[in-house]
Amino acid sequence: MEQIPIEHILLLGAILFSLGILAVITKRHAVVVLMGIELIFNAANLNLVAFSRYDPLLLQGQMFSLFVIVVAAAEAAVALAIVLRVYQHFKTANLNQIVGKE
């Protein structure tokens, strides 16, 4: 079975990271910003697993990636709860209106 070259995996990770940064910087809706942060986490996980492929005896990349997934799930739950509370108070999820820039 032929493996995917690491250059392709790293390119996919770079694309995911760039899309995540683009979403965080340009979007105004809080949920879309959270999705951008999740894309950044997924890009980091992809790179961790790709690099750990070169040392098959040690599973440090996979273990650290699993830790990042657990932290990201907890972060998403807490952040979504905060967004819901902010929406109840301000009646909007637009970040510019919440911080008073509009």
Side-chain angles (χ1 to χ4, degrees), residues 12-30:
L12 178 63
I15 291 169
L16 282 175
F17 186 81
S18 300
L19 289 173
I21 291 292
L22 184 70
V24 169
I25 291 174
T26 61
K27 299 301 179 183
R28 296 181 184 172
H29 198 276

Side-chain angles (χ1 to χ4, degrees), residues 23-33 93-98 102:
V24 169
I25 291 174
T26 61
K27 299 301 179 183
R28 296 181 184 172
H29 198 276
V31 176
V32 177
V33 171
N94 188 333
L95 295 176
N96 287 339
Q97 291 176 352
I98 293 171
E102 280 189 6

Side-chain angles (χ1 to χ4, degrees), residues 4-101:
I4 301 172
I6 194 163
E7 293 84 13
H8 295 169
I9 298 171
L10 295 178
L11 179 64
L12 178 63
I15 291 169
L16 282 175
F17 186 81
S18 300
L19 289 173
I21 291 292
L22 184 70
V24 169
I25 291 174
T26 61
K27 299 301 179 183
R28 296 181 184 172
H29 198 276
V31 176
V32 177
V33 171
L34 291 175
M35 288 176 14
I37 293 171
E38 292 296 325
L39 278 175
I40 292 169
F41 284 154
N42 288 331
N45 285 336
L46 187 62
N47 287 336
L48 286 170
V49 172
F51 284 125
S52 71
R53 186 176 82 178
Y54 282 105
D55 195 4
L57 298 178
L58 299 175
L59 298 176
Q60 294 170 345
Q62 283 92 345
M63 294 305 293
F64 194 67
S65 179
L66 184 62
F67 177 73
V68 170
I69 290 170
V70 169
V71 169
E75 171 264 336
V78 170
L80 193 56
I82 291 171
V83 168
L84 289 173
R85 292 295 293 169
V86 167
Y87 182 79
Q88 287 177 348
H89 186 268
F90 290 104
K91 302 297 184 225
T92 184
N94 188 333
L95 295 176
N96 287 339
Q97 291 176 352
I98 293 171
V99 297
K101 290 187 179 180

